[in-house]
Amino acid sequence: MSDLLHFSEHGLQEGALLFMALVYTTRIIWFLRFKAGGDRQAATGAPGTTPMKGAVYSLANIALPWGMESTRRKPLLYAQFVIFHLGVVAAISLSMIIPYADWLLESTILVRCFQAIIGAAFVVGIIRIIRRVGSPYMRAISSPDDYFSLVLLTVWFLSAVLAAPNDATGGEGHLLTFFILTAFFLIYVPFSKISHYLYYPFTRYYLGKTMGYRGVYPVRRG
Amino acid sequence: MSEKQERSHKAQKVLERMGQKLNRQMVGSLVACVHCGMCTESCHYVLANPGDPTYAPAYKADRIRKLFKRHFDWTGRVFPWWVKAGSVFTDADLEELKDIVFGKCTNCRRCTMNCPMGVDLATFNRMARGLLVSVGVMPEGVAVVSKDQWETGNQMGVLKEDYVETLEWMAEELEEELGAPAADIIPIDRPDCDVVYSINPREVKYDPRSIADAAKIFHVAGESWTMPSEGWDMTNFGLFSGDDALGGSVSRRLYEKVSELRGKRLVISECGHGYRSTRCEGPNWAQYDVPFEMESSVITMLRYIKDGRIKVDKTRNAQPVTYHDSCNFARSCGMVEEPRELLNLVCTDFREMYPNRAENYCCTGGGGAMSMSEYTPQRLKSGKVKAEQLKATNTEVVITSCHNCVDGLTDVIRHYELGMEVTQLVNLVANAMVIE
Ligand code: SF4
Ligand code: SF4
């Protein structure tokens, strides 16, 4: 392994992770400095609906595609969402496994699993780029950050697919690309919309708490 | 437009006041949108205007969000163009924002229910309305109605004499049928009652039959009740205009009157926004801990039937009916099953409208839209979705528990020539009631 690849796998990643953690901490402190609004009135809605039930329902919403009309009516978009996010988890895991537990990748089955998941996420990334560029609705709501983040992730998925076997016999280019992209990704994320997962627990918790207190969550249909 | 450009006084004030209005929930909604577009087709404006992305909830939200990003969020401060952050400079910019927050969104919260991230556009759209109202930028109708509610305590400018006269007139109409003196049929300002009944000024002006029907129900149920001569308007234009000061003042007026009369429970007549404002938001706007119970008349009527205090014969309402859920009732107060339970007790052929409950579409009159005549054409166009929903029920009568929805639906029905009638639960219950 060259010094450059060693640095990319270790020093660079650790530095990028530290930077990300610092920015995230600052971000959370900034967010929590805004005072949370509260409800003074007595609860409404069916007996048994509580803020806690509402919050749990709201947080679990991500795994309840039938819970919202938008995901219920568009199962393909929901499936894309699942695959894309599994791809992110798999690629991040890979960036940890290669430097710290590379023996795991001696298993061809595991390597193929990583490649299948991340490869599928790459395909979803392409579909998402086409949708974002092709739909006038999506174009109207997109910022340069939206396009860039999506392209960045899609390219990163491709590099992860190539890096998964952790095989440098034919050259280190693909591994270097993956780790440099991962480091860039970690540094860029806190400033981009990709950091949405940082806010997700808060937004869903607060909405769920309010809607639970008001008896709207869990949603009843008929 | 360059940031160095001088900002108008009003635009400056809007930005300054925005900082004072932001709370954690709102900031969460402002930072968390990933522009996934999942909410797009949940909005009735989008569905009625195919091909026009300017009606998409996230697009509208971004007109407000860009201000937040530019002035309160670091990414937007450092790289505004990268995240589409922007500002307002001129009064024309504020007018443009006004046309979006008042004219293209009824704050119905349907997109909120469909956002995977939990972004609550309706909440910060209301905030943006409040900011504009604070510098005098608002539709003419909003200004007029707000002024009326500040001045007379009710949003239709009904004078006390006219209100009392209407109550007396309705009571007299019932004297013969109920065999009781008018003063006992609609008691005014009677202290120590179990129920103080508050209404929508629309009932005084255009629908006094609803007051008479409610009085009949209270009388037959043997309720100890009264109507206040002042502080009787349970509607609240502060909810629509985003003016928390108006919201708090109107709510407080009502709460203090009930306390003065030593009423045990405030019953709110059928009105989605009135119920939400009085029952849910008012204590927060007014910073007032309400010392008595509050409930919708839907729950009161249901209890009377269940407790056997009134008897009903549902065959008197034999025509097929459907039910329209008011957005404020269903998506902000969880009132979805009680109206249905009541409907099934007082009519024989209730047919659901689809989608329904918290997924129902707005009547088009939400968010105070009925008072903003400059946006009527686009409102009626957005009514196409509601019209299709109504038509599919194959009924001739639509029931709703909201006076605002009565007007919104009536307009849609007229515009799309559906030939349907709109009425409320109180009317059905009174019609089904057996008076021995
Ligand atoms: S669904 Fe939510 S996150 Fe997606 S565009 Fe709409 S508001 Fe933004
Ligand atoms: S609150 Fe209702 S009207 Fe406003 S954007 Fe959302 S769905 Fe459309």
Side-chain angles (χ1 to χ4, degrees), chain A:
Chain A
M1 184 191 290
S2 69
D3 286 349
L4 181 60
L5 182 57
H6 186 270
F7 170 72
S8 306
E9 286 187 9
H10 292 89
L12 185 62
Q13 298 309 307
E14 285 147 19
L17 270 171
L18 188 68
F19 176 79
M20 188 177 86
L22 278 174
V23 182
Y24 271 172
T25 309
T26 321
R27 197 77 175 144
I28 293 287
I29 292 170
W30 168 80
F31 177 69
L32 293 177
R33 276 170 60 189
F34 289 95
K35 205 165 166 272
D39 274 328
R40 231 174 224 265
Q41 77 282 12
T44 47
T49 49
T50 62
M52 209 27 77
K53 272 191 194 165
V56 170
Y57 173 83
S58 178
L59 285 161
N61 199 278
I62 198 165
L64 309 172
W66 58 89
M68 291 189 303
E69 183 191 81
S70 55
T71 43
R72 199 165 59 239
R73 287 198 180 162
K74 295 186 172 163
L76 278 180
L77 281 184
Y78 181 76
Q80 285 177 27
F81 152 80
V82 174
I83 294 167
F84 195 81
H85 287 81
L86 283 178
V88 173
V89 173
I92 286 282
S93 308
L94 196 62
S95 75
M96 309 278 182
I97 290 173
I98 294 178
Y100 305 110
D102 58 349
W103 50 270
L104 282 173
L105 298 173
E106 284 165 15
S107 156
T108 317
I109 297 179
L110 190 66
V111 171
R112 293 286 174 264
C113 282
F114 269 116
Q115 288 184 314
I117 296 170
I118 302 171
F122 168 73
V123 174
V124 169
I126 300 285
I127 297 171
R128 284 185 160 195
I129 292 171
I130 295 170
R131 179 167 172 255
R132 195 164 284 280
V133 175
S135 156
Y137 290 98
M138 294 303 288
R139 278 202 306 275
I141 60 175
S142 297
S143 65
D145 173 46
D146 292 316
Y147 293 111
F148 182 75
S149 298
L150 185 52
V151 171
L152 173 68
L153 275 164
T154 308
V155 174
W156 180 59
F157 285 146
L158 182 62
S159 75
V161 171
L162 300 175
N166 191 26
D167 181 3
T169 45
E172 292 179 343
H174 55 297
L175 284 166
L176 275 173
T177 309
F178 175 58
F179 280 103
I180 290 170
L181 271 178
T182 305
F184 178 74
F185 171 72
L186 293 175
I187 291 168
Y188 179 67
V189 161
F191 303 101
S192 81
K193 71 132 174 208
I194 308 173
S195 60
H196 63 277
Y197 60 84
L198 191 68
Y199 306 114
Y200 178 88
F202 293 102
T203 51
R204 292 252 47 127
Y205 167 76
Y206 283 117
L207 182 70
K209 190 170 159 238
T210 304
M211 293 303 210
Y213 193 60
R214 291 166 183 234
V216 181
Y217 277 177
V219 167
R220 282 160 290 174
R221 290 206 311 275

Side-chain angles (χ1 to χ4, degrees), chain B residues 42-45 57 60 104-111 121-122:
Chain B
S42 58
C43 178
H44 57 289
Y45 281 105
K60 293 180 278 195
K104 289 187 165 186
C105 175
T106 57
N107 280 356
C108 77
R109 237 177 184 173
R110 200 168 188 279
C111 50
L121 162 61

Side-chain angles (χ1 to χ4, degrees), chain B residues 257-288:
Chain B
K257 187 66 192 178
V258 179
S259 293
E260 182 194 314
L261 292 171
R262 297 184 299 274
K264 294 188 185 63
R265 175 180 286 150
L266 173 64
V267 171
I268 302 155
S269 83
E270 288 175 83
C271 180
H273 103 267
Y275 179 69
R276 179 178 169 192
S277 304
T278 305
R279 174 70 177 75
C280 296
E281 316 294 354
N284 302 305
W285 293 328
Q287 296 289 293
Y288 190 98

Side-chain angles (χ1 to χ4, degrees), chain B residues 75-282:
Chain B
T75 345
R77 278 180 176 166
V78 183
F79 308 109
W81 59 277
W82 189 247
V83 291
K84 277 195 175 171
S87 195
V88 277
F89 294 93
T90 64
D91 292 354
D93 290 343
L94 299 182
E95 288 292 326
E96 211 176 288
L97 186 59
K98 177 196 83 175
D99 288 339
I100 293 167
V101 302
F102 285 101
K104 289 187 165 186
C105 175
T106 57
N107 280 356
C108 77
R109 237 177 184 173
R110 200 168 188 279
C111 50
T112 305
M113 304 298 288
N114 282 291
C115 169
M117 288 297 298
V119 169
D120 192 5
L121 162 61
T123 304
F124 63 85
N125 195 64
R126 179 177 176 274
M127 172 199 64
R129 286 181 174 200
L131 292 173
L132 292 174
V133 165
S134 78
V135 293
V137 178
M138 64 193 111
E140 179 70 19
V142 172
V144 171
V145 180
S146 299
K147 186 168 175 284
D148 274 347
Q149 204 157 23
W150 274 118
E151 277 180 10
T152 63
N154 70 82
Q155 62 163 285
M156 286 191 175
V158 175
L159 299 176
K160 184 176 176 183
E161 310 83 74
D162 294 337
Y163 164 75
V164 171
E165 213 170 88
T166 307
L167 299 190
E168 287 168 353
W169 167 41
M170 286 300 108
E172 280 159 21
E173 294 262 306
L174 291 171
E175 264 182 335
E176 198 179 326
E177 188 185 0
L178 299 177
D184 281 346
I185 292 172
I186 303 185
I188 301 173
D189 283 341
R190 189 175 283 177
D192 300 310
C193 286
D194 289 340
V195 164
V196 176
Y197 187 53
S198 58
I199 58 169
N200 183 318
R202 181 184 171 278
E203 298 181 64
V204 184
K205 275 208 152 172
Y206 307 114
D207 189 19
R209 182 179 68 125
S210 291
I211 304 173
D213 283 349
K216 203 153 90 171
I217 294 166
F218 284 130
H219 185 86
V220 173
E223 188 61 272
S224 139
W225 76 294
T226 190
M227 289 183 78
S229 61
E230 282 177 280
W232 50 268
D233 179 6
M234 52 69 175
T235 69
N236 197 323
F237 218 71
L239 180 73
F240 298 151
S241 67
D243 182 349
D244 291 350
L246 174 62
S249 156
V250 172
S251 311
R252 187 174 278 271
R253 199 183 321 231
L254 195 57
Y255 304 150
E256 285 177 349
K257 187 66 192 178
V258 179
S259 293
E260 182 194 314
L261 292 171
R262 297 184 299 274
K264 294 188 185 63
R265 175 180 286 150
L266 173 64
V267 171
I268 302 155
S269 83
E270 288 175 83
C271 180
H273 103 267
Y275 179 69
R276 179 178 169 192
S277 304
T278 305
R279 174 70 177 75
C280 296
E281 316 294 354

Side-chain angles (χ1 to χ4, degrees), chain B residues 52-71:
Chain B
D52 185 348
T54 64
Y55 284 102
Y59 180 88
K60 293 180 278 195
D62 277 357
R63 303 311 100 194
I64 305 163
R65 187 173 283 120
K66 71 173 189 176
L67 306 179
F68 170 80
K69 284 187 173 171
R70 186 70 190 89
H71 297 278

